[in-house]
């Protein structure tokens, strides 16, 4: 039984079936010469460019001004941008501006643009090659600077630009020879692991953590972005019959930990905490946000966990202690991917919202809720997703919790289509 989307899964599946295939499938599409360069540091940062915390200033007024509304723009596999690889620079630029105009029309306050989809870049990075999604050939110069243009043009429209990076994904295949010449994994094959037929950086190596931080922080240093944003790919989603072979790194660095799971969580904690500290050193006005899978732990496994029964949890299976990151205030905002409907038996949206609202209470960490717009109208989804008011009910419920500051919608293609008018209804709700 396949996963139902980018980060939500069908009811009743066992942990062994919860692999990353459907998530990556939805992110990459599934059924789913300007280059003005960097600008100087902004005095704002996420949540301060607009007229209220968590909002970019836009033409909208009233209650609109206080709410964060984000739109993810996925570039991996050309899901949302560019529409296909190999477009001329002018065509790519026109598509990007069209997406920014779309965000304004749909009353978004921020765009979350994927700038580092697979250990490659949508800007001239000294650390990793040009992204394959631009030209079809990793490392080939597209003839313009997508990130520089996105920052300038988003701000001109009153939108925040959140630069979305995937920390550890290298490729959707397992052949280093297919990577661009000079790619870090070509130069340092020992940095890579293979899992489920895919390449990823080894999170257990200090030199890898430093490299991926350097690669992402280059964008922070050189561009006037409002936030550095990560998704939920840390250690890979578990796949039945697959073993992540990080034995050598564990033997070298795992001494003093009670088990491998604790060591892996420590590695992820280091990536988050070190990056947070470095952002504050480079540009303290730039926010740091993470969008994790929506379940930290089930209450059956931890009394501090949520009243969920999904079988997958970031703490236990992705080695990502998302609750700790909030409590330690390493991040400025969190966008849990609550990609389930109200009343979903195993993982109920209505039960997760209060859990996350309580998790951020008193921390100063802003809470925005990730919304599965891509599920609306999909005949493979439960009946709730055939109801154009489902997402509006999400917004109405969230408004009863003062610590919820807004919503972020996956993703741009669906924002354009507005299936069943669900996005229009949700935005009208608040």
């Amino acid at each position: 039984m396949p996963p139902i989307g980018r980060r939500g899964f069908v009811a009743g599946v066992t942990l062994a079936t919860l692999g990353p295939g459907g998530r990556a499938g939805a992110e990459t599409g599934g059924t789913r010469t300007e280059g003005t360069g960097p600008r100087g540091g902004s005095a704002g940062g996420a949540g301060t460019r607009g007229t209220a915390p968590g909002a970019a200033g836009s033409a909208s007024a009233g209650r609109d001004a206080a709410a964060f509304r984000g739109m993810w723009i996925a570039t991996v596999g050309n899901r949302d941008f560019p529409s296909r690889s190999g477009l001329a620079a002018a065509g790519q630029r026109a598509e990007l501006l069209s997406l920014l105009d779309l965000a304004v029309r749909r009353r978004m306050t921020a765009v979350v643009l994927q700038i580092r989809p697979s250990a490659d870049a949508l800007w001239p990075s000294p650390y990793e090659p040009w992204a394959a999604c631009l030209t079809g050939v990793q490392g080939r110069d597209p003839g313009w600077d997508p990130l520089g243009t996105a920052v300038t043009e988003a701000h001109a429209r009153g939108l925040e630009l959140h630069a979305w990076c995937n920390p550890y994904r290298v490729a959707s295949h397992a052949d280093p020879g297919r990577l661009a010449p000079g790619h870090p994994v070509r130069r340092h094959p020992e940095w890579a692991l293979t899992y489920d037929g895919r390449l990823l950086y080894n999170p257990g190596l200090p030199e890898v953590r430093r490299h991926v931080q350097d690669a992402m922080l280059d964008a922070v240093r050189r561009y006037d972005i409002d936030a550095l944003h990560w998704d939920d790919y840390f250690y890979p989603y578990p796949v039945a019959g697959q073993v992540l072979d990080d034995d050598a790194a564990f033997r070298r660095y795992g001494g003093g930990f009670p088990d491998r799971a604790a060591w892996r969580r420590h590695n992820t904690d280091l990536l988050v905490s070190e990056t947070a500290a470095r952002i504050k050193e480079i540009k303290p006005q730039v926010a740091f946000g993470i969008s994790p899978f929506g379940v930290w732990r089930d209450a059956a496994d931890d009394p501090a966990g949520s009243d969920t029964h999904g079988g997958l949890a970031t703490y236990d299976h992705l080695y990502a202690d998302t609750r700790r990151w909030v409590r330690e205030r390493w991040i400025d905002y969190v966008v849990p991917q609550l990609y389930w409907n109200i009343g979903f038996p195993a993982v109920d949206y209505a039960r997760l919202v209060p859990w996350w609202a309580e998790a951020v209470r008193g921390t100063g960490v802003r809470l925005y809720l990730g919304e599965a717009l891509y599920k609306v109208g999909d005949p493979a989804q439960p009946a709730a997703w055939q109801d154009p008011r489902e997402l509006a009910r999400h917004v109405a419920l969230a408004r009863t919790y003062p610590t919820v500051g807004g919503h972020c919608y996956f993703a741009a293609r669906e924002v354009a289509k507005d299936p069943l008018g669900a996005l229009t209804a949700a935005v009208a709700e608040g």
Side-chain angles (χ1 to χ4, degrees), residues 234-366:
F234 295 100
Y235 278 87
Y237 278 70
V239 176
Q242 300 284 321
V243 176
L244 183 67
D245 184 8
D246 57 358
D247 290 357
F250 182 55
R251 284 194 299 269
R252 185 172 182 181
Y253 299 108
F257 293 90
D259 52 39
R260 192 178 306 230
W263 171 70
R264 288 177 174 176
R265 277 189 293 274
H266 174 73
N267 295 333
T268 313
D269 284 348
L270 284 177
L271 181 73
V272 174
S273 61
E274 290 172 357
T275 301
R278 294 183 69 186
I279 290 173
K280 295 304 179 268
E281 291 174 356
I282 296 167
K283 280 187 186 173
Q285 72 272 21
V286 172
F288 181 27
I290 297 180
S291 178
F293 181 78
V295 177
W296 171 69
R297 300 194 86 188
D298 292 336
D301 298 314
D302 190 316
S306 53
D307 184 13
T308 49
H309 316 280
L312 183 74
T314 62
Y315 181 94
D316 299 289
H317 307 117
L318 306 181
Y319 309 102
D321 191 351
T322 54
R323 181 170 174 263
R324 182 183 184 190
W325 306 343
V326 169
R327 292 164 69 90
E328 298 283 354
R329 306 183 188 189
W330 291 336
I331 57 178
D332 298 297
Y333 71 84
V334 64
V335 193
Q337 295 161 20
L338 306 190
Y339 288 177
W340 302 277
N341 57 274
I342 294 174
F344 190 71
V347 190
D348 188 345
Y349 183 95
R351 295 183 184 275
L352 280 170
V353 171
W355 188 91
W356 279 103
E358 177 61 24
V360 302
R361 188 170 62 86
T363 65
V365 175
R366 298 190 291 278

Side-chain angles (χ1 to χ4, degrees), residues 94-383:
E95 287 191 350
L96 178 60
L97 299 191
S98 177
L99 288 171
L100 298 178
D101 290 339
L102 167 69
V104 173
R105 289 198 308 275
R106 296 298 194 206
R107 295 165 60 188
M108 300 292 116
T109 67
V111 291
V112 186
L113 174 65
Q114 191 173 34
I115 67 163
R116 186 176 175 270
S118 299
D120 50 17
L122 268 73
W123 76 98
S125 167
Y127 295 96
E128 290 171 327
W130 280 105
C133 65
L134 296 171
T135 65
V137 179
Q138 190 178 63
R140 178 177 293 172
D141 189 333
W144 70 304
D145 181 353
L147 177 55
T149 301
V151 171
T152 300
E153 296 292 341
H155 290 169
R157 290 160 174 76
L159 296 165
E160 293 181 2
L161 194 288
H162 294 225
W164 166 18
C165 295
N166 180 283
Y168 287 132
R169 179 169 54 207
V170 172
S172 59
H173 57 77
D175 182 5
R178 293 170 57 186
L179 301 174
H183 190 285
V185 169
R186 296 282 292 271
R187 291 184 285 110
H188 301 281
E190 72 279 6
W191 285 8
L193 296 174
T194 301
Y195 185 79
D196 192 31
R198 303 173 185 186
L199 288 170
L200 67 150
Y201 282 124
N202 186 343
L205 298 180
E207 56 270 34
V208 163
R209 286 197 303 274
R210 183 70 185 192
H211 167 77
V212 299
Q213 289 174 32
D214 288 344
M216 294 182 287
L217 292 172
D218 183 63
V220 175
R221 182 175 288 105
R222 297 170 59 198
Y223 294 87
D224 186 20
I225 64 174
D226 296 283
L228 178 67
H229 178 102
W230 293 353
D231 57 26
D232 58 328
Y233 291 86
F234 295 100
Y235 278 87
Y237 278 70
V239 176
Q242 300 284 321
V243 176
L244 183 67
D245 184 8
D246 57 358
D247 290 357
F250 182 55
R251 284 194 299 269
R252 185 172 182 181
Y253 299 108
F257 293 90
D259 52 39
R260 192 178 306 230
W263 171 70
R264 288 177 174 176
R265 277 189 293 274
H266 174 73
N267 295 333
T268 313
D269 284 348
L270 284 177
L271 181 73
V272 174
S273 61
E274 290 172 357
T275 301
R278 294 183 69 186
I279 290 173
K280 295 304 179 268
E281 291 174 356
I282 296 167
K283 280 187 186 173
Q285 72 272 21
V286 172
F288 181 27
I290 297 180
S291 178
F293 181 78
V295 177
W296 171 69
R297 300 194 86 188
D298 292 336
D301 298 314
D302 190 316
S306 53
D307 184 13
T308 49
H309 316 280
L312 183 74
T314 62
Y315 181 94
D316 299 289
H317 307 117
L318 306 181
Y319 309 102
D321 191 351
T322 54
R323 181 170 174 263
R324 182 183 184 190
W325 306 343
V326 169
R327 292 164 69 90
E328 298 283 354
R329 306 183 188 189
W330 291 336
I331 57 178
D332 298 297
Y333 71 84
V334 64
V335 193
Q337 295 161 20
L338 306 190
Y339 288 177
W340 302 277
N341 57 274
I342 294 174
F344 190 71
V347 190
D348 188 345
Y349 183 95
R351 295 183 184 275
L352 280 170
V353 171
W355 188 91
W356 279 103
E358 177 61 24
V360 302
R361 188 170 62 86
T363 65
V365 175
R366 298 190 291 278
L367 172 62
Y368 312 132
L369 305 180
E371 301 289 350
L373 181 61
Y374 72 93
K375 290 186 177 180
V376 175
D378 182 346
Q381 298 300 328

